[in-house]
Amino acid sequence: MPDLLLELRSEEIPARMQRKAAGDLKKLVTDALVEAGLTYEAAGDYWTPRRLTLDIRGLTARSKDVHEDRKGPSVTAPDQAIAGFLRSAGLADISEAHVHTDPKKGDFYVAHLTKPGGAAEEIIAEIMPKIIAAFPWPKSMRWGKASSKPGSLRWVRPLQSIVCTFGPETEEPVVVDFEIDGLRASNVTYGHRFLSDGKPIAVRRFDDYVAKLEKAKVVLDADRRKEIILSDAQNIAFASGLELVEDDALLEEVSGLVEWPVVLMGEFEEEFLAIPPEVIRLTIKTNQKCFVTRKQGESDRLSNKFILVSNIEATDGGREIAHGNGKVVRARLSDALYFWNTDQHDLPDMHTLAPAAIKFDLDLKKPLDQRMARLDALNVTFHAKLGTQGERVTRIKNLAREIAPLVGADPALAMRAAVLAKADLTTEIVGEFPELQGGMGRKYALLQNEHPSVAAAIEEHYKPQGPSDFVPADPVSIAVALADKLDTLVGFWSIDEKPTGSKDPFALRRAALGVIRLLLSSEWKIELLPLFQSAFIQLREEKIEQRIQHFEEDQAAQDTGDVDGEEDVTNAISGFEKRIRGQLSERSQPILLDLLSFFHERLKVHLRELGARHDLIDAVLTEGADNLLLIARRVEALVVFLNTEDGKNLLAGTKRAANILSAEEKKGTPISPVVDAALFTLEEERELSAAVNQAESQAAQAIQNEDFSGAMIALSALREPVDSFFEKVLVNDDNPDIRANRLALLSRIRTATNTVADFSKIAG
């Protein structure tokens, strides 16, 4: 079977685009080939900074003929209809059509059409210019003289050559001839920009293409380049008594910057090690794409040596390259050291920070307190409709104080942590490296002798940021993290900025999942709706205070000055405040219930990822259920119960009862509102009634005690009486009173089981 080799060589492609671009090329080409009627055995995609390559094995040499029977009009149809059929089928005369007979519709015309298959080379030559012209680069450019013409070729960087060969292993492959924007496909490529001799390299198929590129100092396989870089970097570090601090994202990026990786070691002055390790690492990674090293066995202490990856083999062994990189690294670390020192000194605008210090009870002798005061004084906007960062910190502080007792945290520590949680946003280092927010706040807090729980909460209140991220365990961190996320969610829900489809610009799904994981991981039994309500009221607190102030001013203007009048004014103000807060609470209910429904959906996703069945989750969820831990525990207990024989049989019996009730309710059959024991005629009825009464009472008591396993055990006692009832009792008795009473008994079964879960929603 023939193989196809395709290479698109250009100037340097940004590293972040390479992997996806190679995947896109593979999908676009293989989809187009299959759509054209060709098949293939395997396809591989490869990339370097200067080329995208596709290797398709076992491609059929020709597409199959396509046969189609196109049905036409009746033989008695008007000439105009027949003429339209001939045009659509591409027939010259009706005699070229065939007549088929249908017993009901009579005789009608059918065109037997055959579309001949095409040679693979022709199909490839047709599809490739279209794919190249419409390639989905995130950013692209035009170049050269042709760029002035409308519709000229766009590529991520100037496209320089195209290789396209096709043929079996046993024969000389052919060049698939096509041209786009003056570039014609050939079998010629070029090696490394600097290390090869620059001569054209003629290639036949993929195997010799890879071998010849290797001789020309190009490692085509990105994963192999990564292996080379990682192995050489580890060896060089080990030889110096160090170990490499591995970074998968940086390794991926660096492998996309070089075609022939050469690993070297550089160094900087030890005085820069006074900078926090994460700042050093990020500075060197961001600015120079280099790896840091550490002393062997000392995970928290970096060395002053770093690893860089060059794209050339220098005659001096890379000494000048390492020296040049060291100069740049030193300059960047000098900046970082300046930022680090500046953040620990007083701000120059201290005189403007006093109001914020009073507002948040800040100590302006402490650098981090100064930064929080500045954040408030600058009126930095959080969101146009949700106020400033300072206003948001006030809300988080009040909410953290309310949450703290619920999670076993000290309210004073939770409030202090909430006040300082966003302070590092105005530090120099976080301004330079936003990804260090939280982490730097923790370091600065420890430097000014904050309580360890406060310092931890400053960093950890952003957690967890995904399904696999770290979940804080410190109660203060949990209180502030919940307050931060709930303020965000309630705030955006209050302004109707909710996630839609795949769009979630404010990461609200992630925030909700964070709340869920915080509550479930530490088993906190917290009702969300009261916290939603508190957060919502705080969003409106300023407007509430303004309305109360205006009301007080109106009442003061009407005050007569006597004692009774003063008491009346006080009562009026108190009543007015109570009334407007009540109105606000009432207006917020639909919004907050909608937010709770959103939490239910995120909880379903989370529990399904943990292995729970979706129908069991639906069975325990009710509209106002706001204690997520109890929902999760109910699901767990239900899973265990339904895996027992009693559970399976009770589910079958309950469903049977529900189906009978549903059918009779649709018919309008009378059902007694209560069960009348005097109408029992069979012992099985009496036994079931007694069992239902006992099970319902025991299950309700168990649920009140949050003993969901106990509730399931109580329900399991219904299995035998339910089975006996359906075996011996005819529900639809001829006597309408007995029938209505027996239906009422079935309704009691449904009511009893519903105390634990809605069994009608459970599959099986």
Side-chain angles (χ1 to χ4, degrees), residues 674-690 693 725 737-738 741-742 744-745 748:
V674 294
V675 176
D676 185 354
L679 291 173
F680 292 156
T681 61
L682 297 172
E683 186 61 29
E684 287 76 13
E685 292 178 274
R686 297 184 184 91
E687 290 177 356
L688 178 58
S689 180
N693 288 335
F725 178 85
D737 292 335
I738 293 176
N741 197 55
R742 288 175 178 173
L745 189 53
R748 288 292 312 284

Side-chain angles (χ1 to χ4, degrees), residues 474-644:
D474 189 301
V476 175
S477 297
I478 293 171
V480 181
L482 287 172
D484 179 48
K485 291 168 177 59
L486 291 176
D487 175 75
T488 298
L489 287 157
V490 173
F492 282 106
W493 242 256
S494 71
I495 60 174
D496 199 27
E497 288 280 1
K498 298 178 282 190
T500 56
S502 61
K503 294 181 180 179
D504 187 10
F506 304 109
L508 301 182
R509 291 188 181 97
R510 186 175 69 187
L513 177 60
V515 172
I516 290 167
R517 294 190 64 210
L518 284 164
L519 295 179
L520 298 190
S521 64
S522 300
E523 300 197 345
W524 298 113
K525 301 170 186 175
I526 295 176
E527 295 177 348
L528 287 177
L529 280 173
L531 296 179
F532 290 174
Q533 190 68 57
S534 296
F536 187 87
I537 288 174
Q538 287 201 53
L539 284 163
R540 302 292 186 269
E541 192 64 40
E542 185 177 347
K543 291 184 178 179
I544 291 174
E545 294 296 335
Q546 288 176 354
R547 290 185 63 185
I548 293 172
Q549 184 179 351
H550 292 156
F551 186 80
E552 287 176 347
E553 291 171 355
D554 291 343
Q555 293 297 310
Q558 302 172 24
D559 187 6
T560 58
D562 58 71
V563 175
D564 291 339
E566 289 179 5
E567 185 175 345
D568 290 343
V569 168
T570 302
N571 290 337
I573 293 171
S574 175
F576 176 76
E577 180 177 357
K578 186 176 181 181
R579 187 167 64 254
I580 63 172
R581 290 188 183 277
Q583 291 171 351
L584 182 63
S585 176
E586 187 176 334
R587 287 200 302 271
S588 71
Q589 284 306 304
I591 296 171
L592 303 185
L593 285 174
D594 183 57
L595 176 57
L596 183 61
S597 176
F598 176 73
F599 266 92
H600 286 172
E601 292 303 315
R602 303 320 301 165
L603 179 63
K604 287 181 189 179
V605 172
H606 180 63
L607 293 180
R608 282 201 297 267
E609 289 176 349
L610 296 178
R613 282 166 38 188
H614 68 89
D615 56 327
L616 302 189
I617 303 169
D618 288 335
V620 303
L621 271 177
T622 56
E623 184 183 17
D626 64 343
N627 191 319
L628 304 186
L629 179 63
L630 297 189
I631 294 171
R633 285 185 174 175
R634 281 196 187 207
V635 173
E636 291 170 5
L638 191 58
V639 169
V640 173
F641 178 59
L642 292 178
N643 282 329
T644 66

Side-chain angles (χ1 to χ4, degrees), residues 66-373:
V66 178
H67 301 285
E68 177 189 0
D69 291 341
R70 187 171 300 179
K71 186 177 178 181
S74 168
V75 294
T76 60
D79 292 343
Q80 188 175 0
I82 292 173
F85 167 63
L86 293 175
R87 283 195 301 273
S88 67
L91 301 181
D93 188 84
I94 197 62
S95 61
E96 297 177 11
H98 296 74
V99 177
H100 287 211
T101 300
D102 184 285
K104 294 181 179 179
K105 298 182 179 179
D107 294 344
F108 58 92
Y109 291 114
V110 174
H112 297 313
L113 305 177
T114 299
K115 182 181 178 182
E121 299 98 305
E122 296 174 358
I123 293 171
I124 296 166
E126 181 182 352
I127 66 171
M128 283 312 306
K130 297 175 184 176
I131 291 172
I132 294 171
F135 199 80
W137 291 107
K139 291 184 178 180
S140 59
M141 61 179 290
R142 294 181 294 179
W143 63 93
K145 294 180 180 179
S147 63
S148 62
K149 301 175 184 176
S152 61
L153 176 64
R154 300 186 68 92
W155 202 247
V156 63
R157 295 291 184 269
L159 190 60
Q160 295 177 330
S161 68
I162 301 171
V163 170
C164 192
T165 67
F166 177 73
E169 291 185 11
T170 56
E171 300 175 13
E172 187 68 21
V174 299
V175 173
V176 179
D177 186 31
F178 66 87
E179 181 266 339
I180 179 168
D181 217 39
L183 276 177
R184 185 166 293 279
S186 70
N187 65 340
V188 173
T189 187
Y190 293 84
H192 193 284
R193 183 191 291 273
F194 305 112
L195 298 180
S196 70
D197 58 14
K199 295 178 181 178
I201 301 171
V203 298
R204 300 172 65 249
R205 52 179 53 84
F206 183 74
D207 292 339
D208 81 297
Y209 166 77
V210 172
K212 289 180 178 179
L213 280 183
E214 191 96 13
K215 289 180 180 178
K217 305 294 186 181
V218 174
V219 178
L220 182 68
D221 189 340
D223 290 334
R224 185 161 163 257
R225 292 198 301 276
K226 288 170 68 173
E227 290 172 6
I228 293 170
I229 293 168
L230 182 59
S231 175
D232 288 357
Q234 290 172 335
N235 291 338
I236 289 176
F238 182 78
S240 298
L242 306 170
E243 62 182 39
L244 180 73
V245 178
E246 296 185 18
D247 186 325
D248 291 339
L250 180 58
L251 182 61
E252 173 77 13
E253 183 177 11
V254 170
S255 71
L257 297 175
V258 296
E259 289 195 315
W260 189 257
V262 178
V263 179
L264 304 169
M265 177 176 279
E267 64 179 321
F268 54 85
E269 286 74 11
E270 290 194 359
E271 66 189 63
F272 292 120
L273 294 177
I275 305 170
E278 53 267 57
V279 178
I280 295 175
R281 182 176 178 178
L282 200 55
T283 299
I284 293 176
K285 171 184 175 178
T286 303
N287 294 297
Q288 284 303 103
K289 314 301 180 192
C290 295
F291 299 85
V292 295
T293 62
R294 60 189 168 214
K295 301 276 179 69
Q296 290 182 1
E298 299 183 22
S299 60
D300 59 345
R301 188 178 171 195
L302 298 182
S303 80
N304 66 324
K305 304 288 178 62
F306 62 91
I307 301 293
L308 62 118
V309 182
S310 172
N311 193 34
I312 60 173
E313 292 177 331
T315 54
D316 64 352
R319 283 192 298 274
E320 279 301 312
I321 295 173
H323 177 70
N325 275 266
K327 288 172 64 177
V328 178
V329 165
R330 282 190 285 277
R332 297 299 185 186
L333 289 178
S334 294
D335 292 342
L337 184 60
Y338 169 78
F339 295 150
W340 169 245
N341 290 330
T342 300
D343 286 339
Q344 297 173 61
H345 288 84
D346 290 342
L347 291 170
D349 54 351
M350 290 275 288
H351 62 284
T352 66
L353 306 180
I358 296 170
K359 178 179 175 181
F360 290 103
D361 191 22
L362 298 169
D363 182 356
L364 292 183
K365 295 177 183 177
K366 297 180 176 181
L368 199 58
D369 290 54
Q370 294 176 26
R371 271 67 188 177
M372 178 56 227

